[in-house]
């Protein structure tokens, strides 16, 4: 509501610019980029603003391949397919699907914020890593605060997807102090909670690696969404071709209140004449 | 893709304008409108660009009350609740919910297009209504084209909601030639298909009345969505308070293909070295 | 990512339920509701779960009339019109428009959280209102924390829209201790910051009144969005009828970086062979 | 509205399925896919349901690199940045951005429908290609129907991006009869309209190549959206870091009607007492 004529209408952008003959993405001609770099490298270029190394590109491929799809056990897929069962438009389904990433699934944003905030605080403190991570965990434990990126309902000791990501990051040369800090917090947490098998899960690993690579937490959320778009396109296409209309939840899966009230009597009781 | 610097950046609008002290909606001060007209009348004013009569206002109230909600048998509700079970934001849920109105449910747009297009064609033809509607139905029937707004899985003869809307429209003085034309098409269709009990359903009735009131088919879609927003807000709030996370479709409701392939062998077969 | 077969697929709902002949909203037949209650009252019923009094209904009308529209000085309108200038679908435009309410505009959610949280804390403290509000303000001031709902770029002393809402709330019998608490915080803030003219603005007033009426902060966000839907429908319809395609920001309003780089040289420098 | 308990609640899917230890995408373990195939190949696999050849993968890379971004001359970017200037959430911006692809820009869907529909009709006719394309163009020209994918505001003779895509398709072994058919229609159109310099543009070329590769028109729309996600992530991140709030259209770019009416007088005239 509180908006006035002084609200901003001037923009600035370094992402891309256009000439009559070409488009320049971060200063590189699209016509030159086409065929020179894989899409994963171009993704890094557009978002981070600089060319990736081959190692960073391999890491981007791994990151973009690690989420992909989760059948109908993914809420965004349910939302996307429900939408196109009424409104058979690809973009409508994608619009619903991308909204279903956030606090409770699919987004490394929360873990990314935790890692970068605590990493910065540790660096400013000048204290030894192990000591600082122990104290951090003790404080969070006392305050009953959750640490994002730890735990998994099935995996114990090691989350195999997280381990693949870790190995790839080391090989690609994008493993660094941020990751060591987060691993140290993980170790301190296992000790403090006496859960030696608690894994550092795939979301946590993704967040740690992307923090080290220089992505902001919000950009991490965007890249996680990007990795799920092909699956959403596939599901929406499958739904459109299924011929099923108006997806619903069957009555046996719903506990309805099924109250019955008398409108006239209740209106009178509430003061309507 | 084909966008150039000549693409439009100049706008014109008659919906509202702002001064430092007030906002004017269709020329009326919001501070004056507040408390002078019900929300249904203001909806008519903003969309149609002129003040409604009291009769048109009563009709708007009826229209906005006729859809409302459909439990978990409405795809948009499923989509909205699925989204907020991951991303607990009211606007994210609403964003998904409003996308689930379209060709297969909830939108009078298709019926509105049919009525206004065929009505215009009939008026230009100068022929008697009954004769023209018979011929139209015969042509559509021969071409196996569906006519929107007819039929219901339960109701026979009369759809009681449609009947309530019709009576309200007559009382409110918004029943006119457009409605008579559509009723004539309905009658011709019942005769041609030998289905004397086939109802003119609520969506068809809504579309006919809103056409007579001067709304465009796209505006009808918008008003239908508007009538479902309170229900979406209620469902999203209920979902947020439920504490349930990551809504999914249970495995017993899904037939998964569950194929298993050997990646290395298949890559070799497809030409990867 | 961390989703398993134990993720929930069972639902419960008290919003509405369906029988073959009718739909029951909070226990009331839709066919009975149609024509018996204005849309504003039905909105209250669906969201709050109980019939409003006539006074609560008048208040809902005021609330739903207080935001409405803000020309092209509203980001959601810009987003909605930009979307339909490419994808000419009413629901696509509405989907974009409803996403543009949140932390920086249009949503009373932040103010609603502040009011209900601080009100509860005060009630639990058992201390006098004035003393508690002074101390709260002092603490927030020291921590340089913002209090939502105060201030306006133009209005001094009183925000006339907020004042209309306040008078309506008193008349409708929905003014209560929550509002007094927030007014007391406002008074304490004016004194502490030595800004005797700082207004309690319309968003703050809306949040206070809706808190008193029993809405959750998330529901307030939904109702604020609801009040803007008619304006969005009008703007989208105007855009669709304008014939303008591909809305853009004109080059004179954008500062582009316009860097130019040599891809081959930079790839070599980054380790690509 | 017309939904009943018989509406579908049973699903089937061949996109992916889940076991406690892994996720299988089109039958391939995600843990095996990670690092084995580039993201572009995985995109093809998920959407088309089978492994791509290396040639098809190179083509996917080209397709995904050909749209990318268009500065602030792209309506979806304007919508996405406008949304997050109010509601600073990555997914909210992406939700708005993906809705801004459709009939007037960014989507090869229309061209894809045209190509596959006319190609099928030609194959069924059994007539020579050149003769059939001439007759098709003559019919469309007489009916004043537009053919999608032809023309560009700047390029004459050849659209360089389209030419890069064409060369890549031939090299990748994904150039076939569908493309020849569309080129033949293009040639016939140039002759019939006496516009020998009219280009077959990038959208048309993308649609032709993706049709040949077996994508449905709706899947093409999804892949075009996918190619723009990295740019949207970059723009949304830039906007979030800009600190600008509440993006608007400046008054000098808007022609407001600025009518002023007297509510009391007009209500009386419209029958309100």
């Amino acid at each position: 509501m509180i908006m006035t004529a002084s609200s901003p209408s001037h923009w600035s952008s370094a992402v891309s610019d256009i000439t009559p003959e070409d488009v320049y993405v971060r200063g590189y001609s699209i016509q030159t980029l086409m065929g020179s770099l894989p899409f994963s490298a171009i993704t890094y270029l557009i978002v981070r603003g600089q060319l990736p190394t081959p190692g960073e590109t391999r890491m981007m491929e791994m990151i973009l391949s690690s989420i992909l799809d989760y059948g109908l056990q993914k809420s965004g897929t349910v939302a996307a397919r429900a939408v196109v069962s009424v409104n058979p438009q690809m973009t409508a389904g994608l619009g619903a699907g991308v909204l279903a990433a956030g606090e409770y699934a699919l987004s490394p944003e929360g873990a990314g914020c935790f890692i970068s905030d605590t990493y910065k605080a540790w660096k400013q403190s000048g204290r030894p890593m192990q000591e600082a991570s122990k104290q951090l965990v003790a404080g969070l434990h006392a305050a009953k605060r959750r640490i994002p990126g730890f735990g998994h309902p099935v995996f114990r000791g090691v989350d195999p997807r997280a381990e693949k990501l870790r190995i790839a990051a080391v090989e690609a040369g994008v493993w660094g102090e941020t990751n060591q800090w987060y691993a140290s917090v993980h170790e301190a947490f296992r000790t403090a909670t006496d859960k030696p098998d608690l894994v550092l899960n795939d979301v946590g690993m993704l967040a740690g690696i992307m923090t080290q690579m220089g992505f902001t937490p919000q950009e991490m959320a965007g890249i996680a969404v990007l990795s799920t778009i092909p699956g959403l396109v596939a599901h929406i296409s499958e739904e459109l071709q299924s011929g099923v209309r108006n997806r619903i939840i069957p009555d046996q899966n719903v506990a309805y209140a099924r109250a019955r009230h008398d409108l006239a009597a209740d209106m009178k009781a509430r003061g309507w004449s």
Side-chain angles (χ1 to χ4, degrees), chain A residues 175-258:
Chain A
W175 188 261
E177 203 179 45
T178 316
N179 306 103
Q180 288 152 10
W181 163 251
Y182 189 45
S184 171
V185 174
H186 178 228
E187 199 50 49
F189 188 81
R190 294 217 266 208
T191 306
T193 57
D194 197 25
K195 294 180 179 169
D197 277 349
L198 188 91
V199 301
L200 197 163
N201 63 39
D202 55 346
V203 181
M205 188 59 76
L206 279 174
I209 293 169
M210 286 200 272
T211 306
Q212 180 69 30
M213 292 175 84
F215 291 103
T216 69
Q218 291 261 25
E219 288 166 355
M220 294 179 201
I223 287 169
V225 167
L226 171 62
S227 81
T228 70
I229 300 282
L232 284 172
V233 172
H235 276 287
I236 292 167
S237 182
E238 193 176 58
E239 182 71 28
L240 290 170
Q241 292 177 55
S242 75
V244 178
R245 294 184 179 186
N246 296 324
R247 290 289 184 189
I248 60 157
I249 304 299
D251 277 10
Q252 65 265 32
N253 289 10
V254 189
Y256 283 111
R258 296 203 185 274

Side-chain angles (χ1 to χ4, degrees), chain A residues 2-187:
Chain A
I2 307 179
M3 299 180 234
T4 69
S6 70
S7 291
S9 52
H10 292 277
W11 306 66
S12 68
S13 183
V15 178
S16 71
D17 66 84
I18 299 106
T19 67
E21 293 82 19
D22 208 345
V23 178
Y24 290 83
V25 167
R26 299 290 185 183
Y28 298 101
S29 146
I30 279 192
Q31 293 178 40
T32 311
L33 286 171
M34 281 171 70
S36 300
L37 284 176
F39 185 61
S40 53
I42 292 175
T43 297
Y44 181 100
L45 168 65
I46 293 187
V47 178
R48 291 280 292 109
Q50 59 182 47
L51 277 183
T53 63
E56 287 161 343
T57 303
R58 283 196 302 277
M59 195 67 235
M60 286 301 293
E61 295 283 8
M62 292 292 282
I63 291 168
L64 290 171
S65 309
S66 64
I67 306 178
L68 291 179
D69 203 51
Y70 215 80
L72 286 151
Q73 294 190 22
K74 182 159 159 275
S75 307
T77 302
V78 176
R81 294 183 73 142
V83 162
V84 299
S85 77
V86 178
N87 182 12
Q89 306 291 332
M90 175 59 69
T91 52
L94 290 175
V98 303
L99 290 170
E103 196 172 333
Y104 303 144
L106 265 175
S107 175
E109 187 177 342
C113 286
F114 172 82
I115 296 168
S116 64
D117 289 351
T118 59
Y119 174 76
K120 272 182 220 155
W122 164 57
K123 292 300 281 184
Q124 285 173 351
S125 76
R127 300 167 60 200
M129 185 189 280
Q130 214 179 350
E131 181 192 313
S133 54
K134 268 186 195 169
Q135 194 182 16
L136 172 68
V137 165
L140 293 169
H141 199 56
K144 295 187 181 170
R145 293 265 306 280
R146 213 183 129 264
I147 300 184
F150 299 163
H152 190 272
V154 169
F155 300 123
R156 296 287 167 268
V158 165
D159 177 333
R161 297 158 304 170
E163 184 62 8
K164 282 205 80 160
L165 288 166
R166 190 190 65 77
I167 292 168
V170 172
E171 284 177 4
V174 299
W175 188 261
E177 203 179 45
T178 316
N179 306 103
Q180 288 152 10
W181 163 251
Y182 189 45
S184 171
V185 174
H186 178 228
E187 199 50 49

